[in-house]
Amino acid sequence: MTIRKTRREFLEDSMFAAAAAAAFAAPTSLIAAEKQSKSPNEKLHVAVVGLNGRGNAHIGGYTNRDDVIITHLCDVDSKFHESKVEGVAKRQDGHKPKFETDLRKILDDPSVDIVSIATPNHLHSLQAIWALQAGKDVYVEKPVSHNVSEGRRVVEAARKYERICQAGTQSRSNPGMIEAIEFVHSGKIGDVKVARGLCYKPRKSIGPKGNYEPPQTVDYNLWLGPAQMQPVTRPQFHYDWHWQMPFGNGDLGNQGIHQMDLARWGLNANELSNAVISYGGRFGYEDAGDTPNTQVVVHDYGDRSLVFEVRGLVYDKKLKESSVSYKGSKIGVIFEGTDGYLVMTTYHSGSAFDKDGNKIRDFNGGGDQNHYNNFIEAVRSREVDHLNGDILEGHLSSALCHTGLISYQMGEQVSPAECLERMEAIKTTENVRATMERVQDHLRDNGVNIDSEGVTLGPMLAFDPKTEKFIGNEKADQYLSRECRKGFEIPAEGKV
């Protein structure tokens, strides 16, 4: 009869093995894939929470390894029960995971080592904190939070309980991206004055706002979690929550969080910005969504700027290239230096150019599996420093998205001319006029009369990156957290 080791015994053995491996290998390759143990005694037990969308990637990331087994699946929608359980069983030699709708039942199981979270944004922080408090290591999807305060609480919990917590910013584990960032940091394109994230991604209307019933298979109370009780106002229940503020963060916090993270990484900015301003709107249609489909965010880092551009209105393939991309990138990041620039067009590939636009180097290589491998290696070594996407990095990048949205949410409707005038009045290394002209061209190309509709311009909000609060602005501070429903409260600072 096989006796499974206790978690403590397993981790102690793993630490000794990792120490031996570290003598011969770099920290990022502590356990090579071909050396993974297939012994049942040494397999890490994983619970995947959230089975629609990114949850499928999590399942693949773990079932691709020999030293991990998915023992639990969790989703508030029971329709995923049979198909997901059977699908996972086929990938792990018939071993069927147990299905639960309530994560808390899984957290009571001492055999679970890891909780991997791929639920809607508004649940990420609370579920991560619950899992960390239960002594589990955690992989949590991006953005790691729905607001600034709760993201910091996840960091606090990870440190307090000495758990390994990886953010789902997988580009940080891709060799091509790592090489590109090292190229930027080494000064090969000079002094980088602007890091620009791009999310030029078509997003159609999500349908008319109304009162809709949640699917009968969904436990709506659990789905809402910390969000206030409210009716469903969008026709499509799953996924379209991204475009509603109580649950999602728009494309800035959906697709854009990846590029925001890379832009901050390239700037080597290890804290939040000194100030932020944003403008934009939800143009082209009226629907159940309330997040901007067109947005510009400018973060002030003193002698550097982090700029983010969201464009969601690109459907006509006949539009000129300048309306659907910038410097060859649509969903990517651009580092603008004094001696050249670097453009990453995917999660792992791109090129560097000199000031005249001549290519000087290509970068390539990567895939999601690298990030799951890195996480498992850190779980075994028990070294936070081995993580490529530690929860602190995920918190900072997520929070930059949140503060950008706060400026937008506090905005007022102004004409494009007034918006430009106010933007040009701020001190920044960014060419605000050129960026706004591109935005206006994009909107006009998509039939939006920006001159008559106007634009929502937020205030320039001064921020203290040490306290992670706005300076002298209690109204803005109110957006840093939220009131949670009873039973789903985010712990206060110092109470995790």
Side-chain angles (χ1 to χ4, degrees):
M1 180 178 179
T2 299
I3 300 176
R4 188 174 186 272
K5 294 183 182 180
T6 67
R7 179 178 175 83
R8 182 172 181 177
E9 290 171 337
F10 169 75
L11 292 177
E12 287 177 347
D13 288 350
S14 296
M15 289 171 67
F16 285 121
F24 303 98
T28 55
S29 58
L30 288 172
I31 301 175
E34 63 271 14
K35 295 182 180 180
Q36 295 171 24
S37 172
K38 295 183 180 181
S39 169
N41 291 337
E42 297 180 2
K43 286 182 181 287
L44 289 166
H45 290 193
V46 179
V48 177
V49 188
L51 306 178
N52 196 24
R54 287 298 299 169
N56 294 312
H58 287 223
I59 290 171
Y62 299 118
T63 56
N64 283 338
R65 295 183 61 96
D66 293 327
D67 59 349
V68 172
I69 185 170
I70 297 175
T71 58
H72 293 75
L73 295 177
C74 181
D75 200 291
V76 298
D77 191 341
S78 61
K79 79 173 184 180
F80 296 115
H81 184 171
E82 186 174 347
S83 62
K84 296 297 182 180
V85 167
E86 293 299 328
V88 170
K90 290 179 180 178
R91 299 188 63 146
Q92 48 187 33
D93 299 325
H95 294 287
K96 285 188 176 183
K98 184 178 180 180
F99 186 93
E100 297 284 0
T101 56
D102 192 336
L103 169 61
R104 289 168 291 191
K105 294 182 179 179
I106 294 175
L107 299 181
D108 291 334
D109 189 334
S111 72
V112 175
D113 302 305
I114 292 169
V115 174
S116 199
I117 300 168
T119 52
N121 298 5
H122 70 290
L123 296 167
H124 286 175
S125 289
L126 180 60
Q127 292 180 334
I129 291 169
W130 280 351
L132 294 164
Q133 290 174 330
K136 317 301 183 184
D137 294 316
V138 172
Y139 183 113
V140 56
E141 266 302 333
K142 52 74 196 170
V144 303
S145 58
H146 188 256
N147 59 64
V148 175
S149 177
E150 66 182 25
R152 176 54 70 174
R153 300 291 79 76
V154 183
V155 178
E156 186 180 342
R159 301 299 186 253
K160 177 179 179 178
Y161 298 104
E162 299 182 342
R163 296 294 91 195
I164 301 298
C165 189
Q166 178 98 302
T169 48
Q170 64 265 28
S171 293
R172 283 183 175 258
S173 292
N174 287 334
M177 188 63 70
I178 293 171
E179 291 177 7
I181 297 298
E182 289 176 348
F183 191 85
V184 171
H185 288 172
S186 68
K188 300 291 179 60
I189 57 171
D191 187 12
V192 175
K193 293 298 185 181
V194 175
R196 187 182 307 276
L198 306 178
C199 179
Y200 294 4
K201 198 167 188 176
R203 298 294 186 187
K204 296 180 180 179
S205 164
I206 64 172
K209 185 176 182 179
N211 286 328
Y212 304 90
E213 290 296 322
Q216 292 184 351
T217 53
V218 170
D219 185 323
Y220 190 51
N221 177 60
L222 290 178
W223 189 93
L224 282 172
Q228 296 302 309
M229 182 59 68
Q230 56 197 287
V232 179
T233 59
R234 59 193 182 279
Q236 179 174 290
F237 183 80
H238 291 299
Y239 195 78
D240 283 354
W241 51 263
H242 277 295
W243 325 121
Q244 296 187 317
M245 291 288 192
F247 318 114
N249 307 95
D251 243 334
L252 184 61
N254 179 33
Q255 172 63 56
I257 174 61
H258 289 294
Q259 287 69 46
M260 180 71 81
D261 183 61
L262 299 175
R264 184 181 66 80
W265 185 16
L267 285 181
N268 211 13
N270 299 314
E271 60 183 13
L272 299 181
S273 63
N274 303 317
V276 60
I277 189 170
S278 178
Y279 65 86
R282 192 167 183 85
F283 299 106
Y285 43 72
E286 292 185 10
D287 63 356
D290 58 5
T291 61
N293 60 20
T294 303
Q295 184 179 18
V296 172
V297 177
V298 179
H299 283 283
D300 170 36
Y301 276 102
D303 60 348
R304 301 165 296 157
S305 298
L306 192 163
V307 182
F308 204 93
E309 302 180 30
V310 173
R311 295 186 189 175
L313 293 174
V314 183
Y315 300 113
D316 189 347
K317 294 182 179 179
K318 297 179 181 179
L319 291 180
K320 59 182 183 291
E321 185 63 24
S322 62
S323 185
V324 300
S325 70
Y326 181 56
K327 293 188 176 180
S329 183
K330 296 181 180 180
I331 301 173
V333 61
I334 302 171
F335 299 102
E336 302 172 6
T338 53
D339 297 331
Y341 60 96
L342 187 149
V343 183
M344 296 302 290
T345 55
T346 72
Y347 293 114
H348 55 76
S349 62
S351 302
F353 303 84
D354 64 20
K355 288 191 295 186
D356 297 322
N358 300 307
K359 186 187 293 187
I360 54 180
R361 180 165 173 184
D362 288 323
F363 306 93
N364 192 50
D368 282 14
Q369 190 63 47
N370 292 310
H371 208 47
Y372 296 107
N373 291 347
N374 172 250
F375 172 55
I376 296 301
E377 289 163 5
V379 168
R380 292 188 178 282
S381 73
R382 309 311 302 163
E383 295 291 339
V384 173
D385 290 345
H386 292 166
L387 286 173
N388 292 333
D390 174 54
I391 185 60
L392 176 59
E393 303 293 351
H395 160 61
L396 293 174
S397 297
S398 298
L400 288 177
C401 297
H402 301 327
T403 56
L405 277 172
I406 290 171
S407 176
Y408 173 82
Q409 288 176 280
M410 295 179 64
E412 60 178 332
Q413 202 77 0
V414 300
S415 68
E418 184 175 354
C419 181
L420 178 59
E421 181 180 357
R422 292 194 197 178
M423 290 297 297
E424 288 192 313
I426 68 175
K427 185 178 180 181
T428 176
T429 58
E430 154 71 344
N431 187 337
V432 295
R433 175 178 288 273
T435 298
M436 188 167 182
E437 286 177 351
R438 291 198 310 274
V439 171
Q440 288 179 285
D441 286 345
H442 163 73
L443 290 173
R444 292 183 181 120
D445 286 347
N446 281 277
V448 175
N449 189 338
I450 184 66
D451 296 311
S452 64
E453 291 195 28
V455 61
T456 298
L457 172 63
M460 187 71 169
L461 299 173
F463 194 80
D464 184 344
K466 302 301 182 185
T467 63
E468 295 190 350
K469 292 184 178 180
F470 293 101
I471 298 174
N473 197 323
E474 293 183 0
K475 182 179 179 181
D477 280 344
Q478 293 177 3
Y479 289 89
L480 294 173
S481 60
R482 59 178 166 175
E483 183 179 352
C484 299
R485 281 196 307 142
K486 186 176 181 179
F488 298 93
E489 297 91 349
I490 298 289
E493 182 179 358
K495 299 294 180 64
V496 297

